[in-house]
């Protein structure tokens, strides 16, 4: 038996990388997973794939309503969707700022708001409120800041603050909200870096290597499970000891 048997989960940004790894991990633990992304045809492990722009409130609400209509409830939400538009502050365009904030921070807000009411209605086998678990994917640079990423670091710092606020607001309804802050994770973005650059970055990490998407997925699955039933409002760093 898996740790998430019978749970219904929504994962955003699910088409590749960390998002796809999270879908696979939750499904392996027994969850029924709805995979969401702006462009998605299939996602291994997902029971349903939906095209959703997380910055569009109508699309987000429609996704949650369809999930509830098809599966009866939502127990887990993983807000993973995110983009980067890097550049120095003095040269950053309004459009690049707005797009990153809209996807990374507003999208997290919209999906969290949309699932809150269905999660409040959830009941366990004993008839008592069972709430749900929300896991937001932040970033190590949302904690430390990073030159050339004013929009991205602001969005991820905002996600951390939002996580703590949601934990306080929804805790009485047995809805837990936590964040995972990854460091350097092997992905399509890091794969394009020259080997010497990757080696330089790796030397700044106590474990001397990049993490894998599965490392993040494992942390998410734990936070979504009953093993973390008394954990809320926390930021779990998965960064090899960077911070």
């Amino acid at each position: 038996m898996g740790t998430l048997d019978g749970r219904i989960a929504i994962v955003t940004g699910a088409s590749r990388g960390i998002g796809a790894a999270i879908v696979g991990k939750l499904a392996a633990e027994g969850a029924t997973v709805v995979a969401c992304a702006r462009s998605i045809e299939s996602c291994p492990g997902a029971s349903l794939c939906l095209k959703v722009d997380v910055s569009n409130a109508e699309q987000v609400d429609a996704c949650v309503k369809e999930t509830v209509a098809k599966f009866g409830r939502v127990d887990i939400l993983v807000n993973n969707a995110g983009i980067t538009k890097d550049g120095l502050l003095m040269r950053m365009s309004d459009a690049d700022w707005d797009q990153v904030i809209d996807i990374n921070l507003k999208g997290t807000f919209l999906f969290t708001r949309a699932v809150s009411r269905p999660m409040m209605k959830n009941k366990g086998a004993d008839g008592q409120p069972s709430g749900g678990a929300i896991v937001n994917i932040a970033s190590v640079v949302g904690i430390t800041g990073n030159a050339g990423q004013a929009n991205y670091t602001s969005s991820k710092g905002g996600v951390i603050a939002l996580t703590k606020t949601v934990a306080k607001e929804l805790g009485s309804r047995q809805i837990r909200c936590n964040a995972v802050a990854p460091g350097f994770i092997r992905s399509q973005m890091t794969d394009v870096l020259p080997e010497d650059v990757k080696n330089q970055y790796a030397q700044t990490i106590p474990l001397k290597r990049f993490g894998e998407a599965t490392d993040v997925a494992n942390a998410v699955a734990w936070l979504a499970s009953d093993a973390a039933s008394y954990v809320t409002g926390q930021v779990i760093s998965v960064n090899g000891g960077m911070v």
Side-chain angles (χ1 to χ4, degrees):
M1 293 180 64
T3 60
L4 301 174
D5 283 349
R7 311 288 172 86
I8 310 301
I10 296 175
V11 180
T12 71
S15 61
R16 60 183 181 177
I18 291 173
I22 292 170
V23 170
K25 178 62 177 178
L26 298 188
E29 292 296 335
T32 297
V33 184
V34 177
C36 304
R38 283 183 296 179
S39 178
I40 190 169
E41 299 298 334
S42 65
C43 187
S47 297
L48 178 65
C49 297
L50 297 176
K51 292 183 178 180
V52 181
D53 176 354
V54 300
S55 67
N56 184 302
E58 290 183 359
Q59 291 185 30
V60 169
D61 289 343
C63 170
V64 173
K65 288 178 181 177
E66 183 170 348
T67 300
V68 173
K70 188 173 182 65
F71 301 111
R73 56 193 286 147
V74 180
D75 300 290
I76 300 164
L77 168 66
V78 182
N79 284 305
N80 170 70
I83 62 169
T84 58
K85 294 280 185 179
D86 296 348
L88 293 175
L89 174 69
M90 66 181 68
R91 297 174 185 166
M92 186 172 290
S93 68
D94 290 358
D96 284 352
W97 172 273
D98 290 344
Q99 190 173 8
V100 170
I101 296 296
D102 281 351
I103 297 294
N104 298 6
L105 182 54
K106 182 181 177 183
T108 298
F109 158 71
L110 291 176
F111 253 106
T112 300
R113 184 178 67 180
V115 303
S116 60
R117 290 187 185 278
M119 282 186 175
M120 287 179 187
K121 297 177 182 178
N122 288 344
K123 297 286 194 301
D126 58 0
Q128 296 300 310
S130 59
I134 299 169
V135 184
N136 298 324
I137 304 303
S139 171
V140 62
V141 298
I143 300 170
T144 65
N146 195 37
Q149 290 191 306
N151 47 7
Y152 185 75
T153 57
S154 296
S155 71
K156 293 302 186 179
V159 165
I160 289 172
L162 178 62
T163 297
K164 293 177 179 293
T165 296
V166 172
K168 291 180 182 295
E169 288 194 10
L170 300 183
S172 64
R173 303 301 184 99
Q174 303 306 307
I175 298 172
R176 298 182 296 106
C177 186
N178 294 287
V180 174
F184 285 112
I185 303 297
R186 197 181 305 279
S187 66
Q188 289 180 323
M189 285 191 292
T190 60
D191 286 346
V192 301
L193 295 173
E195 284 301 319
D196 62 329
V197 173
K198 286 192 282 190
N199 289 335
Q200 288 175 13
Y201 281 137
Q203 292 310 305
T204 69
I205 303 170
L207 292 183
K208 304 301 180 187
R209 61 179 176 85
F210 285 11
E212 303 291 340
T214 52
D215 294 320
V216 180
N218 289 339
V220 170
W222 179 74
L223 286 170
S225 75
D226 290 341
S229 64
Y230 201 54
V231 179
T232 193
Q234 304 305 306
V235 181
I236 306 299
S237 293
V238 181
N239 59 36
M242 283 178 63
V243 178

